[in-house]
């Protein structure tokens, strides 16, 4: 009975511009995480091969693969002159300031730094998951702090 009501409600709901941006951000994030997972596996295999030939000289180095790959992927992709990851390019979303101007390389690096500080704290407190769902522009915490937003690219 409840399911029928939800289905009727969803048929009448029209996705807003900001809903579409949020959906594309989620898709881009999933794609970027899959890319990171693939890079982690490749790096892990390379470390295993190196460890085999060096008699486990880099055994403890394997512990740093996951954070280094994720930090490097996001820092180098968002921190470049385009300011977007591969997922953002594929799903056609762009990061701009509140005046709809592209961010400089310096601003993108600061945005990255802020993202990696705020997001883990927000995930632990579930704030990072709730805030985009309850505000009209579907912005995340770090978007409010750094005064940025995402736009759909054509």
């Amino acid at each position: 009975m409840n399911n029928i009501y939800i289905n009727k409600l969803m048929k009448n709901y029209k996705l807003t511009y900001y809903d579409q941006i949020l959906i594309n951000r989620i898709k881009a994030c999933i794609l970027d995480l899959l890319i990171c997972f693939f890079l982690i596996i490749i790096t892990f295999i390379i470390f295993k091969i190196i460890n085999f030939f060096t008699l486990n000289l880099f055994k403890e180095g394997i512990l740093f693969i996951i954070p280094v790959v994720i930090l490097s992927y996001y820092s180098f992709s968002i921190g470049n002159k385009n300011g977007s990851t591969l997922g953002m390019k594929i799903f056609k979303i762009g990061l701009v300031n509140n005046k709809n101007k592209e961010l400089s390389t310096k601003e993108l690096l600061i945005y990255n730094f802020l993202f990696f500080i705020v997001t883990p704290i927000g995930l632990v407190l579930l704030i990072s998951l709730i805030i985009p769902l309850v505000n009209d522009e579907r912005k995340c915490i770090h978007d409010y702090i750094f005064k940025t937003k995402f736009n759909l690219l054509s």
Side-chain angles (χ1 to χ4, degrees):
M1 182 73 174
N2 221 3
N3 200 14
I4 295 171
Y5 177 73
I6 291 173
N7 287 338
K8 282 184 179 181
L9 184 67
M10 291 307 292
K11 283 183 183 178
N12 295 331
Y13 183 76
K14 303 281 188 221
L15 286 178
T16 67
Y17 176 78
Y18 297 111
D19 290 335
Q20 191 59 48
I21 290 173
L22 180 63
I23 290 168
N24 284 6
R25 280 181 83 170
I26 292 169
K27 290 179 195 175
C29 180
I30 291 169
L31 178 62
D32 290 333
L33 287 175
L34 288 173
I35 291 168
C36 285
F37 182 69
F38 179 71
L39 292 172
I40 289 167
I41 290 173
I42 289 173
T43 309
F44 183 77
I45 291 169
I46 291 170
F47 263 79
K48 282 295 191 182
I49 292 169
I50 290 171
N51 277 337
F52 176 75
F53 289 112
T54 61
L55 303 173
N56 285 330
L57 183 62
F58 298 108
K59 186 176 181 180
E60 284 77 26
I62 291 174
L63 299 173
F64 297 100
I65 290 175
I66 294 173
V68 168
V69 168
I70 292 173
L71 284 170
S72 299
Y73 176 77
Y74 281 98
S75 297
F76 286 114
S77 59
I78 290 183
N80 71 16
K81 65 179 181 174
N82 297 330
S84 61
T85 65
L86 185 61
M88 290 167 63
K89 287 178 188 174
I90 289 173
F91 291 104
K92 298 182 180 184
I93 53 175
L95 180 64
V96 294
N97 63 18
N98 281 341
K99 298 175 185 171
N100 285 330
K101 293 186 180 179
E102 291 185 3
L103 301 175
S104 68
T105 304
K106 180 182 173 185
E107 290 173 319
L108 288 167
L109 290 173
I110 294 169
Y111 178 85
N112 254 338
F113 180 72
L114 187 66
F115 172 80
F116 284 117
I117 290 174
V118 172
T119 302
I121 295 168
L123 284 175
V124 169
L125 301 173
L126 296 177
I127 298 170
S128 290
L129 301 174
I130 295 169
I131 287 184
L133 298 175
V134 297
N135 67 66
D136 291 336
E137 292 185 347
R138 306 291 185 233
K139 286 183 169 186
C140 295
I141 300 170
H142 50 279
D143 296 325
Y144 280 111
I145 294 171
F146 202 68
K147 297 181 177 132
T148 55
K149 62 182 178 179
F150 281 87
N151 286 337
L152 291 175
L153 305 174
S154 44

